[in-house]
Amino acid sequence: MVDWNLAVATATRLVRPGPDVSRDEARAVVAELRRHAKASEEHVRGFTRMGTDEVHDTPVLVVDRPGWVRANVAGFREILRPLLEKMQERRAGSPTGAVLGTVGGKVTGVELGMLLSFLSSRVLGQYETFAPATRDLPAGGPPDAPSGGRLLLVAPNIVHVERELDVDPHDFRLWVCLHEETHRTQFTAVPWLRDHLEGEIQSFLAETDVDPMTFLERIRDAAQSLAGGRPEGEEEDGGRSFVELVQTPAQREILARLTAVMSLLEGHADYVMDGVGPSVVPTVAEIREKFQQRRAKGASRLDIALRKLLGLDAKLRQYRDGERFVRAVVEQVGTDGFNRVWTSPNTLPTKAEIAKPADWVARVHRKAES
């Protein structure tokens, strides 16, 4: 269904060049990001009170844009395997199976590569929860585990944004590391979280009933938008997100739970980096203000259309709504009271509770105290 190697090759060929830096400057940025990532561990653990005695075994990888592409293709390939195998079986019995078998994988690989090249210039950092280890991209976890975690910091994008915002580069790099380190702490300090999230994703994929041609058409829609090839007047139809492939009530329920969890994780990371910020990032107020403005306005009309198509507008809402939830809960019951959220899957907030934090407090705290 997808020629993954061709996706990597296409994205690598099309990826935009990074900012102009000398070799010495590049080495200095990489070294500083590694130092900040290490320092962020102590800052985040102290602020969140989620520290453990175990040393993180998840590596920190400072990568360029092609490196980010390779890492994400490996992750997509792993997590989407059950869905693609299901679609492959369905394709074999369809009248269009022969055509898809001949060209479908390569077409999808090229168009997925186009999307990844677009995204590769926008991501500052990422904690890869389900990353399979490769020769070039190590991952944490036991040696016999199918996948572990790794922290990616995309150096060219960090440099590009700090220049665009005209902020202190050293402060900005630490600020980014604080956000990504919070994600690493979430998954290393809460042992059940990774398995729970993977279970939800696999349940969602198992319920998917998508015709292979529809799958190819959605990727093609995204690629045509990226290339400016969508006919005039079709923007609204092409603005649908991939998550709108959801058809069944079961999938809608799973997606609601996933949305709540992701809102919690992203909002918590934003809350933590702003909470730690004043003590270690002198210009945090300026950085936050300028970064929020950048998030809000986006870029071109094309960028806004692609955000919607890829579900990135939903991710921006997750940052905002999740941060409000965390802040409201901490104000009501303190940091230790908020940390009850990590007790079990049953104490995670629902999508409705993300919007109404007091309902989560009432459910989790009053039940525990009664």
Side-chain angles (χ1 to χ4, degrees):
M1 290 301 301
V2 181
D3 187 329
W4 297 105
N5 292 332
L6 186 55
V8 172
T10 301
T12 301
R13 186 176 73 252
L14 296 177
V15 70
R16 298 177 182 179
D20 186 21
V21 296
S22 69
R23 187 179 297 272
D24 288 342
E25 286 175 316
R27 288 173 177 162
V29 170
V30 170
E32 184 173 24
L33 286 172
R34 286 177 176 155
R35 290 196 303 271
H36 284 331
K38 181 64 178 176
S40 294
E41 274 192 66
E42 183 177 349
H43 295 318
V44 170
R45 289 186 179 199
F47 183 81
T48 63
R49 301 179 191 171
M50 294 176 66
T52 66
D53 294 331
E54 299 179 8
V55 177
H56 284 159
D57 62 352
T58 51
V60 176
L61 306 180
V62 182
V63 298
D64 56 11
R65 290 167 180 174
W68 179 87
V69 168
R70 290 192 297 272
N72 276 267
V73 165
F76 291 156
R77 190 171 188 170
E78 185 71 23
I79 203 71
L80 292 175
R81 190 185 306 276
L83 173 62
L84 294 179
E85 288 176 350
K86 180 179 178 180
M87 293 173 65
Q88 181 80 12
E89 292 173 2
R90 181 166 177 175
R91 184 189 73 179
S94 93
T96 59
V99 175
L100 286 171
T102 303
V103 300
K106 293 192 179 300
V107 170
T108 311
V110 168
E111 294 179 337
L112 181 59
M114 292 175 68
L115 293 176
L116 288 170
S117 71
F118 169 80
L119 293 172
S120 68
S121 63
R122 283 155 172 76
V123 178
L124 301 181
Q126 175 183 359
Y127 182 74
E128 282 199 291
T129 314
F130 311 109
T134 65
R135 183 181 62 183
D136 300 325
L137 296 164
D144 58 344
S147 61
R150 59 185 170 223
L151 184 62
L152 303 180
L153 297 169
V154 190
N157 297 348
I158 293 172
V159 172
H160 171 77
V161 174
E162 70 192 25
R163 290 179 178 178
E164 179 186 336
L165 298 181
D166 190 24
V167 294
D168 183 280
H170 308 293
D171 284 2
F172 184 75
R173 294 166 195 173
L174 176 55
W175 189 71
V176 171
C177 287
L178 290 170
H179 181 101
E180 303 309 330
E181 175 58 38
T182 302
H183 287 318
R184 184 162 67 156
T185 297
Q186 290 163 347
F187 283 95
T188 54
V190 185
W192 55 264
L193 184 58
R194 179 191 179 279
D195 289 342
H196 171 72
L197 194 58
E198 183 178 18
E200 291 280 56
I201 292 171
Q202 293 303 334
S203 295
F204 178 85
L205 294 177
E207 291 285 337
T208 300
D209 186 18
V210 180
D211 178 79
M213 284 301 295
T214 303
F215 179 77
L216 294 178
E217 287 168 3
R218 291 302 175 87
I219 292 182
R220 189 167 297 114
D221 281 348
Q224 287 176 349
S225 293
L226 179 59
R230 176 167 304 287
E232 192 70 27
E234 292 189 12
E235 289 83 359
E236 286 303 316
D237 181 67
R240 292 176 297 178
S241 163
F242 283 126
V243 297
E244 292 177 6
L245 290 169
V246 175
Q247 298 292 329
T248 68
Q251 284 182 310
R252 284 192 288 272
E253 291 178 7
I254 296 169
L255 187 59
R257 294 196 298 269
L258 280 170
T259 299
V261 173
M262 297 312 297
S263 296
L264 170 69
L265 299 180
E266 296 293 0
H268 185 231
D270 265 13
Y271 173 79
V272 170
M273 70 179 182
D274 284 347
V276 173
S279 62
V280 297
V281 182
T283 60
V284 65
E286 177 191 0
I287 290 172
R288 163 55 77 189
E289 181 180 1
K290 290 183 175 179
F291 196 75
Q292 287 289 66
Q293 291 173 355
R294 182 179 185 273
R295 269 184 184 172
K297 73 179 182 181
S300 64
R301 182 183 179 190
L302 172 61
D303 188 67
I304 293 170
L306 279 166
R307 274 191 192 178
K308 185 174 182 182
L309 177 67
L310 298 172
L312 300 182
D313 55 340
K315 187 174 179 65
L316 293 176
R317 288 195 298 273
Q318 288 171 4
Y319 286 113
R320 182 185 65 241
D321 297 344
E323 196 273 341
R324 287 175 181 168
F325 170 84
V326 175
R327 187 172 300 281
V329 171
V330 171
E331 286 176 356
Q332 291 184 58
V333 295
T335 298
D336 292 334
F338 166 78
N339 281 342
R340 288 192 188 180
V341 77
W342 312 117
T343 304
S344 76
N346 293 329
T347 57
L348 291 172
T350 65
K351 188 176 180 180
E353 287 170 341
I354 288 289
K356 296 183 177 180
D359 290 354
W360 179 87
V361 172
R363 177 172 66 86
V364 173
H365 282 264
R366 292 176 187 172
K367 181 177 180 180
E369 293 165 1
S370 60

